[in-house]
Amino acid sequence: MTEILTMALTQLRQNSLPELCAVAFAIAYLLLAVRQQIACWYAAFVSAAIFLYLFRQVGLYMESGLQVFYLAMAVYGWYQWRYAHESNHQNNRGRLRVNIWPVRYHLPALACVGIATVISGALLADTGQRLGYVDSFTTWGSVITTFMVARKVLENWIYWLVIDSVSIYLYLDRELYFTALLFAVYLIIIVFGFVAWLREYRSYSGQHAG
């Protein structure tokens, strides 16, 4: 533990200002997402742009590509939360409401993540990248889950719990200690996010049933 703290302090003195900024915006994104504030997508865009630069520096190629996807999804998510016109997915304030996916949606989503992980992991193994399969899993899992956030699918929080737990190991391996700490904080916020979204879903369902 002492060695990790010493290395983290060294990293802070050398090149961690961009990482700290990315972490700050990423935490802001998640906290705003928990409260379903559309400003979360602005924070997501800035955080993704900074992480794109950082991950390219440390050779996390799949994670770098993921940040490009996040940039696009920040725009898509903002549009969906602001201009959703599907009446069965809106609450009484006209906002896109929290909804759940049936099993028939989850099964192909998980299958796609598994297949994509195996394929891209094998390709990365040929480049000599360390933990290529782990990098691939967190990347493809994040692709599906970010789309779920944009559509306000409740189960996104469960997906993130698994993905972020694995990501901590990946970032520690690359000595991105503040990013690893960010994802540890994510695990706590995820619990509150799930509870908050579940409460709204049940509230709407109860009113609709009544």
Side-chain angles (χ1 to χ4, degrees):
M1 179 63 71
T2 301
E3 182 180 354
I4 292 177
L5 289 175
T6 301
M7 294 178 71
L9 290 173
T10 301
Q11 185 186 31
L12 174 61
R13 288 194 298 267
Q14 293 177 346
N15 58 4
S16 283
L17 182 58
E19 186 183 358
L20 285 172
C21 290
V23 166
F25 278 104
I27 291 177
Y29 155 72
L30 195 58
L31 290 175
L32 289 168
V34 169
R35 297 176 60 85
Q36 298 183 53
Q37 297 293 319
I38 196 170
C40 72
W41 297 110
Y42 298 115
F45 190 93
V46 175
S47 177
I50 300 174
F51 274 127
L52 173 60
Y53 166 77
L54 290 173
F55 292 151
R56 285 173 58 87
Q57 301 302 308
V58 297
L60 286 175
Y61 305 117
M62 291 296 295
E63 291 289 328
S64 297
L66 178 61
Q67 302 312 307
V68 176
F69 173 77
Y70 280 162
L71 291 172
M73 286 303 296
V75 177
Y76 174 78
W78 176 87
Y79 180 85
Q80 286 294 311
W81 285 29
R82 187 175 181 87
Y83 296 112
H85 296 298
E86 300 176 45
S87 59
N88 62 322
H89 286 296
Q90 287 184 341
N91 61 20
N92 58 6
R93 289 168 290 178
R95 295 189 312 172
L96 186 68
R97 66 175 175 82
V98 176
N99 60 98
I100 62 173
W101 270 4
V103 174
R104 68 177 183 274
Y105 288 4
H106 288 291
L107 291 180
L110 294 173
C112 287
V113 171
I115 294 171
T117 295
V118 171
I119 294 175
S120 56
L123 293 174
L124 288 175
D126 292 336
T127 70
Q129 179 181 331
R130 213 165 56 250
L131 302 179
Y133 286 98
V134 178
D135 189 8
S136 297
F137 169 73
T138 58
T139 297
W140 293 115
S142 297
V143 166
I144 293 293
T145 310
T146 302
F147 175 78
M148 293 170 69
V149 176
R151 298 300 300 160
K152 288 194 178 179
V153 178
L154 174 65
E155 296 91 337
N156 87 84
W157 299 106
I158 300 175
Y159 280 54
W160 281 132
L161 186 66
V162 176
I163 295 167
D164 290 354
S165 297
V166 176
S167 295
I168 291 174
Y169 173 72
L170 184 64
Y171 296 136
L172 286 175
D173 179 75
R174 291 301 195 276
E175 298 183 359
L176 293 172
Y177 299 113
F178 293 109
T179 305
L181 179 61
L182 163 67
F183 277 70
V185 173
Y186 269 2
L187 297 182
I188 299 173
I189 300 176
I190 282 169
V191 176
F192 290 98
F194 179 80
V195 171
W197 283 34
L198 178 61
R199 184 182 300 116
E200 175 166 324
Y201 174 76
R202 286 177 172 173
S203 174
Y204 173 84
S205 298
Q207 293 173 7
H208 188 70

